[in-house]
Amino acid sequence: MHVKIHDLIVIGGGPAGLAAALSAWECGVKDIVIVERDKELGGILNQCIHNGFGLHYFKEELTGPEYASRFIDMLRDSSVQVKLDTMVIELTDDKELHVVSSTNGYEILKAKAVILAMGCRERPRGPIGTPGTRPSGIFTAGQAQRYVNMEGYHVGRKAVILGSGDIGLIMARRLTLEGSEVLACVEIMPYSGGLARNIVQCLHDYDIPLYLSHTITQIHGYPRVEGVTISEVDDNRNPIPGTEQYIECDTVLLSVGLIPENELSKGANIAIDSRTGGPIVNQSLETSVEGIFACGNVVHVHDLVDYVTYESSEAGKSAAQRILKIASSNSADITHSITDENADVIQLINGNGISYTVPQLIDLKVKLHNIEVFFRTNRIFGKSTIHVKAGNSELKRFKRVRLTPGEMEKIVIDEDTLRQCISKGFDEIEVSVTEDPASEENVHFPVEKTVTLGEVL
Amino acid sequence: MTELICTVCPRGCHLKVYPEENYRVEGHQCARGEKYGQEEVKNPCRIITSTVCIEGAEHPRCPVKTNAPVPKQMIFNVVKTLNNVCLRSPVKAGDIVVENACGTGVDFITTRSM
């Protein structure tokens, strides 16, 4: 079987894949294929009919379909090929893709570089172990969103939402506007996992109560949901006996987290970070397998599609650089300009308060530049300081007014700081957070202006 | 006094708005937050998104939005105007679906070409 080697194959035609393919094309790569399993491009954006997308990237408020069409339209004017209704069933570490479709049957594709843009999937009922019957009427929030917004089904009359992730909040409003009654949004953590904007515009606007530190401890009814029991939980998230309340409902939506979809990545022996659930990437968004890059929710779950677009454009650029380098050197072996002999990589260590960083490591073989480090904290912090340390010395500190696990944060480690680390032979940089004591004044230390992610990007 | 969470940016400032003091705002950290606080108390408005029936397209529903924010208390009346709409493919994103919904001066437009 003759296998044509494409320059770049992008797996997934959602926001990440679209932005990655476009940016690689703009960098001069012409032979690009997007492989998409759905019958259309756009991914999850097609069902996200609400507005609020694009405030950072396009400086205007768009709905999901509008955001997607901006990229789909740009793609139409490029030479990027799109294979729709085509499922990748296997990816190998030498960048071979086994794909199936009803039009072409089984095919093998090969590429000089691959970008993983498969996104994420919703955590279902099983992993959270909610007791009770197994009736119909239980949906993940995104599943209900597709039914209601694209397929035109009404999912239920009286709903309770478990979890307060953004899709759950959006669906609380959506079901209310569709004439359903949303009785409660129940969140096991003492804070919501969703954006403040969504708490206000989806719950407060419609007087939907949010029960923090609560969870569903029983689902009742068969063959259809008839009600749920909710209970308060203690600090260890165990239900407190005696706090049970019964809520009559016919529908339960689960908005209990998103999991990067990495079956293909694992098959290609790509190293996965157990904290993000996605591939370990360096500052070029390259995974542990050379020439395979990853971006968007397959790497870590983002709050805003705008951030997915920025990240994916970077991945597209990195992949393009690799491809163009191969073309100019006429060889698949790329010789890196090694900046230091002592260490090949600097690991980013998660210190106090940090649940993960992306990238997880800085590859010193790649030309150094200012590196954007994205992270989430593992709890809510008020006025606080982010410390960047190597060895025993603090390299940088950043101030923030508020940090919450629900909102991704960003710091920039500049090139000079990185060079300092390399010259001192450090192979680890630790990022940590401490909450400021109310009275502390940091007058003697140069402090960066506090900026939010959106302002930087 | 009304307490609000600012939704202009992800920082989520906790605002206090005093209508009796000419809508003075406390707790904001930028000018946009101050404006948000005042508007949110004086006349809270929202863009409304929903779907309408469409025939002859890939999917049976076509997404729509209002082309300007609608006063919050009008939301339910405004979405009701969509109940009897049925579009016929092809439509272009931006096509008007309902004109001047409930006399608000605001139109519903499609957000996707189908």
Side-chain angles (χ1 to χ4, degrees):
Chain A
M1 190 170 178
H2 173 73
V3 179
K4 180 180 185 300
I5 300 178
H6 294 283
D7 281 343
L8 173 63
I9 296 178
V10 179
I11 307 178
L18 290 169
L22 262 172
S23 110
W25 188 78
E26 282 163 5
C27 289
V29 179
K30 295 302 168 211
D31 177 14
I32 303 175
V33 181
I34 298 178
V35 186
E36 166 58 48
R37 69 182 170 190
D38 205 346
K39 58 188 174 187
E40 57 196 0
L41 291 172
I44 205 73
L45 287 169
N46 291 323
Q47 69 183 58
C48 295
I49 61 156
H50 53 280
N51 66 330
F53 302 97
L55 274 169
H56 299 289
Y57 193 77
F58 290 113
K59 308 280 176 249
E60 58 181 305
E61 225 175 327
L62 302 172
T63 64
E66 289 172 322
Y67 192 96
S69 72
R70 296 265 169 122
F71 288 90
I72 296 169
D73 290 346
M74 285 190 263
L75 209 64
R76 221 166 263 143
D77 303 328
S78 76
S79 63
V80 174
Q81 291 176 62
V82 181
K83 281 171 148 335
L84 294 176
D85 256 324
T86 305
M87 178 86 183
V88 180
I89 53 171
E90 194 187 349
L91 168 69
T92 68
D93 51 13
D94 55 356
K95 294 176 278 294
E96 199 171 85
L97 286 89
H98 298 250
V99 309
V100 288
S101 65
S102 52
T103 41
N104 293 335
Y106 170 67
E107 288 175 282
I108 296 173
L109 309 174
K110 229 174 144 37
K112 293 173 192 160
V114 171
I115 298 180
L116 308 175
M118 294 90 78
C120 58
R121 55 173 60 187
E122 297 180 279
R123 183 171 287 123
R125 180 181 177 182
I128 57 168
T130 305
T133 50
R134 326 294 285 179
S136 67
I138 304 173
F139 305 89
T140 57
Q143 176 190 16
Q145 190 178 42
R146 188 174 171 104
Y147 284 153
V148 173
N149 291 346
M150 294 178 73
E151 300 184 12
Y153 297 108
H154 196 46
V155 292
R157 290 184 185 88
K158 286 179 146 193
V160 170
I161 297 175
L162 178 60
S164 60
D166 286 309
I167 314 171
L169 300 175
I170 294 285
M171 282 311 291
R173 171 176 64 187
R174 189 75 196 106
L175 291 182
T176 307
L177 288 179
E178 285 295 324
S180 308
E181 202 180 340
V182 179
L183 300 157
C185 182
V186 184
E187 169 61 57
I188 195 165
M189 301 302 285
Y191 51 82
S192 162
L195 298 172
R197 179 174 74 200
N198 288 335
I199 301 281
V200 174
Q201 297 188 357
C202 300
L203 298 185
H204 295 181
D205 273 8
Y206 301 95
D207 298 320
I208 298 167
L210 171 61
Y211 293 88
L212 296 173
S213 299
H214 277 71
T215 192
I216 294 181
T217 43
Q218 189 82 26
I219 294 176
H220 308 270
Y222 195 84
R224 179 78 192 192
V225 176
E226 288 166 15
V228 295
T229 302
I230 69 168
S231 304
E232 198 176 334
V233 298
D234 63 20
D235 292 344
N236 299 317
R237 289 183 247 163
N238 292 316
I240 303 169
T243 61
E244 297 86 357
Q245 293 178 57
Y246 181 78
I247 303 177
E248 193 191 307
C249 62
D250 60 14
T251 304
V252 177
L253 297 195
L254 304 177
S255 179
V256 291
L258 299 168
I259 307 159
E261 190 168 342
N262 280 288
E263 284 81 359
L264 290 174
S265 323
K266 287 171 192 161
N269 299 317
I270 290 168
I272 302 290
D273 183 343
S274 60
R275 296 162 299 193
T276 55
I280 293 171
V281 292
N282 66 19
Q283 71 272 33
S284 306
L285 282 315
E286 191 169 16
T287 68
S288 63
V289 175
E290 207 183 339
I292 301 185
F293 299 80
C295 54
N297 284 353
V298 80
V299 178
H300 60 130
V301 177
H302 295 61
D303 307 334
L304 300 181
V305 70
D306 304 58
Y307 303 157
V308 168
T309 301
Y310 288 113
E311 184 179 276
S312 305
S313 302
E314 282 305 309
K317 260 182 234 166
S318 305
Q321 274 165 18
R322 174 191 161 85
I323 293 157
L324 299 173
K325 220 166 180 176
I326 295 175
S328 62
S329 67
N330 275 329
S331 152
D333 300 314
I334 301 172
T335 47
H336 292 291
S337 57
I338 294 171
T339 47
D340 185 67
E341 291 163 355
N342 301 327
D344 282 334
V345 296
I346 294 178
Q347 299 280 347
L348 285 170
I349 304 296
N350 300 341
N352 178 60
I354 305 287
S355 51
Y356 73 75
T357 64
V358 168
Q360 289 87 345
L361 50 89
I362 298 165
D363 188 340
L364 302 180
K365 297 191 297 284
V366 179
K367 189 174 175 297
L368 284 184
H369 51 80
N370 293 350
I371 289 175
E372 297 176 339
V373 177
F374 295 89
F375 65 92
R376 282 184 200 275
T377 56
N378 55 20
R379 64 179 180 87
I380 294 180
F381 288 87
K383 219 171 166 199
S384 50
T385 307
I386 300 157
H387 308 272
V388 179
K389 293 180 197 158
N392 290 322
S393 53
E394 185 169 74
L395 306 170
K396 291 210 88 122
R397 55 166 63 178
F398 302 85
K399 289 289 185 184
R400 290 293 184 275
V401 181
R402 187 180 157 84
L403 293 165
T404 93
E407 281 165 14
M408 196 166 81
E409 266 293 336
K410 184 181 95 164
I411 54 173
V412 176
I413 305 181
D414 59 89
E415 194 182 326
D416 287 346
T417 305
L418 285 171
R419 292 207 183 281
Q420 272 179 47
C421 281
I422 295 164
S423 67
K424 289 179 184 156
F426 293 131
D427 56 4
E428 285 183 356
I429 293 179
E430 187 197 76
V431 182
S432 62
V433 188
T434 53
E435 196 145 6
D436 298 351
S439 59
E440 195 194 317
E441 288 286 342
N442 300 296
V443 281
H444 56 282
F445 200 96
V447 168
E448 296 224 345
K449 179 179 160 274
T450 301
V451 281
T452 63
L453 188 51
E455 288 165 359
V456 176
L457 290 170
Chain B
M1 187 267 291
T2 310
E3 286 188 59
L4 298 170
I5 300 170
C6 180
T7 63
V8 171
C9 83
R11 198 181 287 162
C13 293
H14 291 252
L15 309 180
K16 286 181 180 172
V17 187
Y18 299 87
E20 62 281 7
E21 295 174 42
N22 197 23
Y23 296 93
R24 185 170 63 81
V25 181
E26 260 178 24
H28 60 285
Q29 290 181 42
C30 70
R32 290 189 301 166
E34 184 174 21
K35 186 165 171 254
Y36 170 86
Q38 293 174 341
E39 290 297 316
E40 193 60 16
V41 172
K42 281 184 197 164
N43 181 27
C45 286
R46 302 281 185 265
I47 298 266
I48 313 295
T49 61
S50 189
T51 64
V52 294
C53 172
I54 183 165
E55 283 173 354
E58 189 85 59
H59 304 285
R61 305 299 294 181
C62 178
V64 299
K65 70 171 181 184
T66 54
N67 59 1
V70 171
K72 222 169 91 174
Q73 73 274 11
M74 293 290 287
I75 290 175
F76 282 98
N77 290 330
V78 164
V79 285
K80 272 193 194 129
T81 63
L82 298 172
N83 284 353
N84 301 318
V85 175
C86 192
L87 304 176
R88 179 84 216 157
S89 175
V91 296
K92 275 188 69 186
D95 285 357
I96 294 179
V97 173
V98 172
E99 233 180 307
N100 189 16
C102 301
T104 53
V106 172
D107 305 330
F108 270 108
I109 58 172
T110 59
T111 57
R112 186 175 176 183
S113 302
M114 293 181 85

